[in-house]
Amino acid sequence: MNWGAVWAIARKDAMVALRTRAVVLPLIIVPLVLMVGVPVLVGLISGMATRLDVPSSDMTELAQSLPAGFGEQYAGLSEVQAGYIYFILYLFAPMYLVLPLMASSVVAADSFAGEKERKTLEALVYTPTTDRELLLAKILGGWIPGSLVGLVGFIIYAIVADIMTFYVAGRIVLPNPLWLLLAFWVGPAAAALGLGVTVIASSRVNTFQEAYQIGSLVVLPVVLLVVGQAAGTFILSDWLVALMGLVLWALNLVIFAIAAATFRRTALMARL
Amino acid sequence: MGATSTTVIVTEGLTRSFGSQVAVDALTVTIEAGEVFGFLGHNGAGKTTTVRMLNGVLAPTAGRVRVFGLDPTTDGHRIRARTGVLTETPALDSRLTARMTLLHFAEIYGVPPRERTRRVDELLALFELEKRADSKVGGFSKGMRQRLALARTLIHDPEIIFLDEPTSGLDPVAIRDVHHTIEQLTHRGRTVFLCTHNLAEAERLCDRVAVLAHGRVLAIGTTQELGSRLNRGHRISLEIEAQDIARAVKLFAATPPVSLAEAVTDRTAVRNGSATIVLHGVSRSEVPAMIQTAIQHDLKLYRVQPEEPSLEDVYFALQEL
Ligand SMILES: Nc1ncnc2c1ncn2[C@@H]1O[C@H](COP(=O)(O)OP(=O)(O)O)[C@@H](O)[C@H]1O
Ligand SMILES: [Mg+2]
């Protein structure tokens, strides 16, 4: 493996993408809206409801649909307060995955389809890399910034969420095992998945925008998770999140094995 | 295959089709180290496709290729480590500066870290890009881009340099610079594979030339060997008295090495009572003799101009054989 070349290509991809407005804008706006805007907004409403002393029953009613142990852990809180913590810890959790998914997919769209658009691919195929090295370089170039955006998003969320839960309920709730699993186990897997899908999409389309739009479709399963949990179909637990990560990694393994088996620069050039 | 130790490229019946279209048709060539080999042909003749196959970035449909004794299909990366390719379009990322571009490729090509900055500075100086070294490529002129792409091609000091139409679309000064660079490379013993549609360029720079049309080699040899046939591509135009035109056509048609004398009949060629006649097959060195002939036969000459050589005439001459 020619690691020098792989690392050089990956690093340049990541670096240049992070200097491109079409890439950076969504990478800033989405985390801000999602990881700051939503918890703050919901927190302010919950906080007001608590302070206005809106008549609320205690938690016993809510408790049936809550994860095991949640009731004991947050005993003594009003329904609004516990509800907000539930929102922060569980309801919102699947939404977090949008971050690494979207980030890696936007960078990959830039590095693969954008490469076609800017006609820079030809310089790259003539480098002394093997097909496998070139693919790996391109994957790392999207995966590293994707995962990083996910981790930074998690840190921001943890800080904002703690401030808001303290404001609403006088508690600090993050980080907890479930969110650590999300950020360090599921997030990077989601980043890889967003990447894989976009890479495949990129080989079919010609512009950054098209690739990005198709790549964005990977967000759909996340929406299903959000809706499913809100509707009470299931509740996330540590082991469920761990399992989710495992499934995603397995899926990635399949996708990238197929990519490695089919990615040929000669095929790219035959279409150029 | 009779490959000697200095043979760097050998192809035998190398063929590539796209659907029913044959882009490169049974190409058989042998290129020695240190040669400047010209690949001469019009757009669509199969030049770029050949360069791609030789570097293992496009698979041949049939035939055999060896570069440095390696098969590009399986050892492409080993070949590419020792070749440099100037692609038809510069393929530069407009968001990087010139220096970043070169440093990036130096790293990809495994130029040792200690040598990178020196090598990059050298190339920036050689291609007169120092002043703009830290500007984004996006703002570069076509000539500057071409120079930067050429610098990138040479970053790892490759043994074979493929130049795919290196001067097309450049202004005369930029063309002169590129030609100068190619001459320097050959002085340093590098092998150059030059794709061009410019006959004069091929004649000036190349030791040997393959003339290509529709994927087929029409002729291959040293420029001297092909001499008279390549000469067919040269033309000069003479502006003379309009009333003398018929006499001049007859006269020059019978004067060697003129292969064809034709009166230019469109309106712009006729002005102030003078008209233009084009003599095919006359190269620059034969211009004085033509002028002398004209004077001897009392033709009034107003203007003599060598024209851009025409590949068509070369094709025509080659197909006659
Ligand atoms: N990727 C491709 N797909 C289909 N046809 C191609 C492709 N590349 C080249 N061709 C065709 O092959 C022929 C030779 O092309 P090319 O090698 O680019 O010629 P040149 O470089 O001499 O201009 C042309 O007719 C061109 O249209
Ligand atoms: Mg070409």
Side-chain angles (χ1 to χ4, degrees):
Chain A
M1 205 32 111
N2 181 353
W3 286 108
V6 169
W7 180 235
I9 295 168
R11 217 184 51 229
K12 179 247 167 190
D13 263 7
M15 188 194 74
V16 175
L18 294 179
R19 290 185 186 184
T20 305
R21 187 176 306 176
V23 175
V24 171
L25 233 46
L27 292 193
I28 291 177
I29 291 172
V30 175
L32 274 186
V33 170
L34 220 55
M35 309 314 280
V36 177
V38 175
V40 167
L41 201 69
V42 178
L44 286 178
I45 295 168
S46 307
M48 261 185 274
T50 308
R51 260 140 254 247
L52 287 176
D53 213 9
V54 176
S56 75
S57 48
D58 64 18
M59 281 174 55
T60 42
E61 256 175 68
L62 195 70
Q64 281 113 37
S65 58
L66 287 179
F70 188 89
E72 295 88 79
Q73 201 175 351
Y74 298 107
L77 295 183
S78 74
E79 192 175 338
V80 171
Q81 290 172 321
Y84 181 63
I85 291 177
Y86 177 66
F87 168 81
I88 287 294
L89 290 184
Y90 293 93
L91 271 187
F92 195 76
M95 285 300 281
Y96 165 72
L97 295 179
V98 169
L99 232 58
L101 272 174
M102 182 250 358
S104 66
S105 133
V106 73
V107 176
D110 179 73
S111 88
F112 274 78
E115 196 101 51
K116 262 193 218 174
E117 210 173 346
R118 290 186 295 271
K119 303 197 186 337
T120 49
L121 189 68
E122 217 178 346
L124 211 54
V125 299
Y126 278 112
T127 58
T129 49
T130 61
D131 288 340
R132 204 158 279 206
E133 284 160 357
L134 189 54
L135 180 69
L136 180 67
K138 290 305 230 174
I139 287 171
L140 284 179
W143 184 74
I144 292 172
S147 302
L148 275 181
V149 168
L151 290 180
V152 170
F154 164 69
I155 292 169
I156 294 173
Y157 181 71
I159 294 169
V160 170
D162 280 338
I163 292 173
M164 293 314 291
T165 50
F166 191 78
Y167 163 71
V168 172
R171 300 287 182 98
I172 283 176
V173 299
L174 280 176
N176 69 352
L178 187 138
W179 270 87
L180 288 175
L181 273 171
L182 264 182
F184 289 94
W185 172 242
V186 189
L193 185 70
L195 193 77
V197 172
T198 309
V199 167
I200 291 166
S202 299
S203 63
R204 307 272 179 278
V205 301
N206 289 313
T207 66
F208 163 76
Q209 284 300 338
E210 288 172 292
Y212 177 40
Q213 277 152 17
I214 296 177
S216 307
L217 294 179
V218 294
V219 170
L220 283 180
V222 170
V223 174
L224 285 182
L225 279 179
V226 173
V227 172
Q229 201 183 215
T233 316
F234 62 90
I235 294 169
L236 288 180
S237 62
D238 296 355
W239 80 266
L240 194 61
V241 169
L243 184 71
M244 215 160 82
L246 198 67
V247 171
L248 284 185
W249 279 119
L251 203 61
N252 286 328
L253 213 64
V254 173
I255 290 179
F256 289 120
I258 293 172
T262 53
F263 178 80
R264 295 283 174 272
R265 76 188 69 210
T266 49
L268 281 181
M269 293 312 278
R271 264 184 265 121
L272 220 67
Chain B
M1 274 203 158
T4 67
S5 59
T6 55
T7 300
V8 286
I9 298 175
V10 189
T11 75
E12 251 181 27
L14 181 63
T15 301
R16 170 72 204 207
S17 316
F18 294 100
S20 61
Q21 192 196 7
V22 186
V24 175
D25 195 354
L27 176 72
T28 299
V29 289
T30 303
I31 298 174
E32 306 295 320
E35 256 194 296
V36 181
F37 187 82
F39 219 46
L40 184 61
H42 275 308
N43 260 341
K47 304 182 295 293
T48 302
T49 303
T50 303
V51 172
R52 288 177 175 172
M53 289 192 288
L54 292 175
N55 283 278
V57 306
L58 186 72
T61 317
R64 206 177 115 94
V65 208
R66 290 292 179 273
V67 179
F68 305 121
L70 300 166
D71 182 351
T73 314
T74 51
D75 279 318
H77 60 291
R78 290 203 179 85
I79 293 171
R80 291 191 294 273
R82 298 165 64 186
T83 64
V85 181
L86 177 75
T87 51
E88 222 167 334
T89 49
L92 295 163
D93 196 326
S94 55
R95 302 169 300 181
L96 295 181
T97 67
R99 191 189 305 280
M100 281 157 72
T101 303
L102 295 181
L103 283 172
H104 174 54
F105 277 86
E107 199 181 343
I108 293 180
Y109 278 96
V111 177
R114 301 152 151 267
E115 287 172 36
R116 266 177 225 157
T117 25
R118 187 183 51 80
R119 181 90 187 123
V120 167
D121 286 341
E122 251 173 41
L123 286 168
L124 286 170
L126 179 63
F127 290 99
E128 290 166 29
L129 290 164
E130 301 131 299
K131 284 203 195 102
R132 300 291 299 276
D134 298 302
S135 316
K136 292 227 170 98
V137 175
F140 280 20
S141 69
K142 194 164 196 291
M144 288 165 73
R145 281 170 204 251
Q146 190 72 343
R147 296 208 301 273
L148 179 58
L150 203 49
R152 182 185 60 193
T153 304
L154 304 178
I155 193 83
H156 54 302
D157 200 9
E159 293 162 59
I160 308 180
I161 298 128
F162 293 88
L163 302 170
D164 198 351
E165 314 221 8
T167 57
S168 101
L170 296 187
D171 62 64
V173 177
I175 290 177
R176 194 200 57 201
D177 290 346
V178 170
H179 285 176
H180 182 64
T181 307
I182 297 173
E183 280 159 359
Q184 281 184 323
L185 287 170
T186 56
H187 290 151
R188 291 183 34 234
R190 297 292 176 254
T191 310
V192 178
F193 189 99
L194 174 70
C195 298
T196 180
H197 59 246
N198 185 324
L199 177 61
E201 181 168 283
E203 282 189 291
R204 175 173 162 193
L205 298 168
C206 300
D207 304 317
R208 278 199 307 147
V209 177
V211 183
L212 203 67
H214 307 296
R216 285 177 164 275
V217 171
L218 297 181
I220 189 165
T222 63
T223 38
Q224 283 92 337
E225 281 163 11
L226 297 178
S228 67
R229 287 176 277 167
L230 290 182
N231 266 348
R232 289 281 199 106
H234 291 276
R235 298 170 299 167
I236 61 170
S237 63
L238 309 179
E239 193 179 319
I240 53 174
E241 287 287 344
Q243 61 192 42
D244 291 337
I245 204 85
R247 189 161 67 88
V249 167
K250 224 176 135 189
L251 166 68
F252 283 112
T255 310
V258 177
S259 58
L260 176 70
E262 47 175 4
V264 180
T265 47
D266 68 279
R267 268 166 183 280
T268 53
V270 183
R271 57 178 180 202
N272 306 331
S274 72
T276 301
I277 172 172
V278 176
L279 308 182
H280 294 250
V282 178
S283 60
R284 202 183 138 79
S285 60
E286 288 141 358
V287 170
M290 291 301 119
I291 294 176
Q292 214 161 17
T293 307
I295 292 168
Q296 276 165 8
H297 291 82
D298 284 334
L299 291 174
K300 286 205 184 73
L301 271 182
Y302 296 103
R303 195 171 56 96
V304 181
Q305 182 169 352
E307 299 289 340
E308 190 62 19
S310 141
L311 259 186
E312 267 76 18
D313 292 325
V314 175
Y315 285 159
F316 196 68
L318 291 169
Q319 274 151 359
E320 272 176 355
L321 298 169

